[in-house]
Amino acid sequence: MKVCVGLAIPYLLQPIFFPMGESKTPLFSRVSFKANVWIAIFSFIGNYWYTHYFYTVLKAGYTFPSWRFNNIPIPLFFATHFYFMTYHTFSNIILRKIETTFEKTWARRIFFWAVVFAFAYFTAFMETLTISKFPYYGFEDKDMAYKLGSAFYGIYFIVSFPMFYRVDEGRFAGKYDLHRTVIEAFGAGMIVLCLLDLVRLWLGVTFEMPGWF
């Protein structure tokens, strides 16, 4: 809990105490604050709902003793905030580079989405690979986890990378208040949930959410 909260705290406190170029902007209007709110909502949904798809479809599990909420170790809600803020910061840099380097054509649009898909899978695969050494998280079939699991996890980012990028970025600059940020974060969460469930149905797996602890 100390480690995971410690990882998330710098992101959570930055908009308040270290706003950098946004010091004269009201707190709720700061892009950094809205980014934290967006990721906090999306990562909460990811832990509360999506982790159960990993439990059910990929037969994954956490074995370390922990306080739990909906059978998800509570420290992971904070760890996910750190990870997702990092991933989406890099995705924003990449997508911004594409939009500011190339002219607005169909070729750029195709390239944009190809990069979204590639970076989503890369991000998911690398996290799956690096966490494989963690002794308290495992799968019944590691080979399936690397291949199918990475694609399954990559669904999160195929949706979230381009939707998070919209928050006051490019042609959307100045158009995102906190209300719109919250609504779109929940919208992104629902899109991912539907896609995960379609994969579950295609695989013919029965979904289970077996309690709180």
Side-chain angles (χ1 to χ4, degrees), residues 10-206:
Y11 280 114
L12 295 169
L13 296 184
Q14 181 268 320
I16 302 171
F17 297 107
F18 306 99
M20 296 182 285
E22 299 184 291
S23 58
K24 296 181 180 180
T25 305
L27 177 61
F28 288 179
S29 298
R30 293 173 185 173
V31 177
S32 54
F33 182 83
K34 288 180 283 188
N36 268 282
V37 169
W38 200 103
I39 293 297
I41 292 170
F42 188 71
S43 61
F44 176 84
I45 294 171
N47 279 288
Y48 187 92
W49 280 104
Y50 309 160
T51 303
H52 285 278
Y53 281 84
F54 277 78
Y55 289 169
T56 300
V57 176
L58 300 175
K59 306 302 180 184
Y62 295 100
T63 59
F64 58 90
S66 176
W67 299 310
R68 292 184 176 236
F69 179 65
N70 198 27
N71 201 28
I72 311 299
I74 292 176
L76 298 186
F77 287 87
F78 295 94
T80 303
H81 190 83
F82 164 78
Y83 278 111
F84 280 14
M85 282 294 292
T86 303
Y87 300 159
H88 289 78
T89 296
F90 281 108
S91 71
N92 265 19
I93 292 171
I94 294 169
L95 298 181
R96 185 187 305 122
K97 184 68 174 177
I98 293 172
E99 287 205 336
T100 56
T101 302
F102 303 103
E103 293 184 7
K104 187 178 180 180
T105 63
W106 278 103
R108 190 188 77 174
R109 183 172 296 181
I110 293 170
F111 182 56
F112 181 96
W113 282 102
V115 169
V116 168
F117 274 77
F119 190 57
Y121 186 82
F122 172 79
T123 302
F125 180 81
M126 289 306 296
E127 183 178 324
T128 304
L129 180 64
T130 54
I131 203 175
S132 65
K133 299 299 182 182
F134 184 58
Y136 304 108
Y137 179 63
F139 302 91
E140 283 189 359
D141 186 337
K142 286 192 174 183
D143 185 62
M144 182 183 73
Y146 291 139
K147 295 176 182 177
L148 176 61
S150 295
F152 196 62
Y153 187 24
I155 291 172
Y156 293 26
F157 306 123
I158 290 170
V159 174
S160 68
F161 284 164
M163 290 197 69
F164 179 79
Y165 180 68
R166 291 161 54 94
V167 181
D168 273 343
E169 188 74 40
R171 68 184 184 278
F172 297 103
K175 297 182 179 179
Y176 269 71
D177 58 12
L178 188 59
H179 177 263
R180 182 174 181 176
T181 301
V182 169
I183 293 300
E184 291 207 7
F186 277 107
M190 191 63 196
I191 293 170
V192 174
L193 183 61
C194 289
L195 291 175
L196 292 178
D197 209 54
L198 285 173
V199 173
R200 178 191 67 81
L201 290 173
W202 177 62
L203 294 173
V205 178
T206 300

